[in-house]
Amino acid sequence: MKLSARIAAPAAALVLAGLTATACAPQTSDNSAKKDEKAGTLRVWLFQEVNNKPKEQVVDAAVAAFGKEHKDAKVEIEYIPVETRAQKIKAAFNDPKSAPDLIEYGNTDTAGYVKDGGLADVSTEFTDWDEAKDTDPTARQSVTVGGKIYGAPLFVGVRALYYRTDVFKELGIAAPKTQDELIATAKKIHKAKPELYGLAVGGAYTYGAMPFIWAQGGELAEESGGSYKAAINSPAAQKGITAYTSLFGDDNCPAAKCASMGGNATVTAFASGKAAMAIGGDFSHQAVEAGSVKGKYAVVPLPGLKAGETAPAFAGGNNIGVLKSSSHRTLAVDLMKQFAGKETQRKLFDAMGFLPTYTDVRSEVAKKEPFVDPFVKTLGAGAKFVPASPGWGQIDASLVLPTMFQEIVSGKKDVAAASGDAAKKMDAAFAAAG
């Protein structure tokens, strides 16, 4: 199976590449379509993958199936670079004449694109869609803003704990069952094998740190009446921050080397044999298989506070939505359902390794490909999402949380001061976003 290298960081990369533009951009003027034509050409923008051919074949099959039901409609597909999509999509929101009818977008982009007035509210059509009832609740949340639905989830990506079976066997230790065990095991391994990070961690690895915060009952922010207030400085969140930052130091992952690492760097450290454990995604599988640890590792859900518990993971991934300016709304919604439907998601998993957003389809693919099982279990235990505010893009792009972690691990600030400062920055971004 080939996995897409592009989703090696489905959230961080998407946010940094895209939301900086949407979070600060002025809201577009009303560009709602004035008609709903039942014939003509539908234009679609999808993301260009590193290895795009398999995706193209799945998309072509979906277009052919759509064509059989809609004889008077044609479909034009354009694959756009992920890195520059923010400018291109923003321009489309401002110029309906050049805009596509459908776009693929990162799930952390939703709130920003809704604020920009670009995506159509498809709540009624989504709710009436029979297949939608099997959508994972977190995936559904990723297309929901203010109680309204702005697209359909296309795939999800989630992280779990990769560990070296040969190292664990040599040292006579078992995979950790709790968060405390995880931290203790990491330090035990580094003590026995100083050349290895026990657990590779990164000060810039926001989505690797979040499970520690969520496991302690902490939240990034709290929502009330449609507005968000930072909660990163709450006592529960501070416990999680303390747990995560305790992994930086000479007894596991030295701050001088690990403070600047992001998610890709931690996975690379594991794949190249420099770490005994790492928090990696289903989308990291290809990179690990291509590394020196092939055949010498296993994956389990990241443990929570108690044995048997799974720490909540961030649910990354992509969605597909109809633009508000589309003059072919009914056709575009039907095509959205074709792209995001169960049959296409099955094919996308086979072709690209994208995890389906439907709970029943995920169970099917887990039986087919055993490596998927710990990620499916992680999603089943309840994954979480970032605040559905356009302000989140600014928070992520300005590295509020990495700065907080780095201030703590460098000794510049304690957890209370660093999380308090981060909360102030988050609240400013939430307020600016409205």
Side-chain angles (χ1 to χ4, degrees):
M1 171 180 297
K2 290 182 178 174
L3 289 170
S4 167
R6 180 185 58 77
I7 56 168
L14 292 180
V15 175
L16 288 172
L19 277 181
T20 45
T22 58
C24 306
Q27 187 164 339
T28 55
S29 55
D30 181 36
N31 57 4
S32 303
K34 305 296 185 281
K35 51 192 175 183
D36 182 11
E37 297 172 357
K38 302 301 190 292
T41 300
L42 291 172
R43 297 177 62 231
V44 183
W45 289 355
L46 301 176
F47 290 160
Q48 175 88 29
E49 308 298 334
V50 175
N51 178 16
N52 207 55
K53 204 70 189 168
K55 180 176 182 176
E56 288 175 29
Q57 291 169 348
V58 174
V59 168
D60 290 348
V63 169
F66 173 80
K68 287 179 183 176
E69 300 292 323
H70 303 85
K71 305 287 187 188
D72 296 326
K74 291 183 180 178
V75 178
E76 288 181 357
I77 307 289
E78 181 181 346
Y79 292 92
I80 66 172
V82 183
E83 298 76 17
T84 56
R85 79 192 188 290
Q87 301 91 316
K88 190 173 175 73
I89 290 173
K90 177 63 180 173
F93 291 166
N94 283 316
D95 183 13
K97 289 180 183 175
S98 69
D101 299 274
L102 272 172
I103 57 167
E104 179 180 354
Y105 61 95
N107 65 8
T108 49
D109 292 348
T110 309
Y113 287 175
V114 169
K115 190 192 179 203
D116 284 345
L119 294 173
D121 174 359
V122 294
S123 304
T124 302
E125 294 96 330
F126 188 88
T127 305
D128 291 344
W129 183 21
D130 187 51
E131 290 191 348
K133 71 181 186 301
D134 296 319
T135 301
D136 176 288
T138 310
R140 184 183 177 118
Q141 184 188 347
S142 81
V143 291
T144 305
V145 178
K148 296 176 180 178
I149 296 171
Y150 293 90
L154 188 62
F155 68 83
V156 289
V158 72
R159 293 163 177 80
L161 182 68
Y162 284 73
Y163 71 97
R164 287 276 298 275
T165 49
D166 57 338
V167 173
F168 275 60
K169 185 177 180 181
E170 181 189 337
L171 298 179
I173 52 180
K177 301 283 197 300
T178 67
Q179 191 179 93
D180 285 346
E181 270 186 35
L182 172 66
I183 295 168
T185 299
K187 294 179 179 180
K188 182 176 182 178
I189 292 169
H190 184 68
K191 188 175 183 180
K193 291 182 167 291
E195 72 279 10
L196 292 179
Y197 302 136
L199 171 65
V201 288
Y205 192 9
T206 303
Y207 297 100
M210 283 179 181
F212 291 81
I213 294 167
W214 287 328
Q216 293 283 354
E219 296 290 347
L220 301 173
E222 300 284 0
E223 188 264 340
S224 178
S227 60
Y228 284 87
K229 183 165 180 59
I232 195 69
N233 58 338
S234 70
Q238 288 184 4
K239 281 185 185 175
I241 295 166
T242 301
Y244 185 67
T245 53
S246 74
L247 288 158
F248 293 81
D250 293 339
D251 55 357
N252 174 55
C253 202
K257 291 182 179 177
C258 302
S260 62
M261 292 206 308
N264 284 355
T266 63
V267 170
T268 299
F270 181 81
S272 63
K274 293 176 183 171
M277 294 184 285
I279 299 165
D282 52 284
F283 40 83
S284 307
H285 180 252
Q286 185 183 47
V288 175
E289 279 289 292
S292 62
V293 298
K294 180 179 171 71
K296 298 183 287 189
Y297 73 94
V299 186
V300 291
L302 191 67
L305 297 190
K306 299 175 186 172
E309 287 182 354
T310 296
F314 169 73
N318 286 359
N319 302 325
I320 189 157
V322 176
L323 264 64
K324 195 190 282 187
S325 60
S326 172
S327 58
H328 301 91
R329 181 192 168 98
T330 300
L331 286 172
V333 169
D334 284 353
L335 184 56
M336 176 189 79
K337 292 178 182 177
Q338 188 70 53
F339 283 141
K342 291 184 178 182
E343 188 55 34
T344 302
Q345 288 201 15
R346 285 187 187 98
K347 290 177 180 176
L348 279 173
F349 174 81
D350 289 339
M352 305 299 298
F354 294 169
L355 267 183
T357 63
Y358 301 99
T359 51
D360 55 337
V361 182
R362 272 211 299 267
S363 297
E364 284 174 29
V365 301
K367 288 173 186 167
K368 239 185 344 184
E369 293 285 354
F371 90 85
V372 169
D373 188 58
F375 302 102
V376 172
K377 283 179 178 168
T378 297
L379 284 163
K384 293 177 76 85
F385 195 57
V386 297
S389 162
W392 176 255
Q394 184 57 34
I395 291 163
D396 203 86
S398 53
L399 306 176
V400 172
L401 296 182
T403 299
M404 175 188 74
F405 294 127
Q406 288 161 356
E407 286 173 341
I408 295 165
V409 303
S410 68
K412 286 182 182 174
K413 293 178 184 173
D414 62 17
V415 171
S419 63
D421 289 347
K424 287 175 189 170
K425 293 175 190 172
M426 290 173 74
D427 285 337
F430 289 139

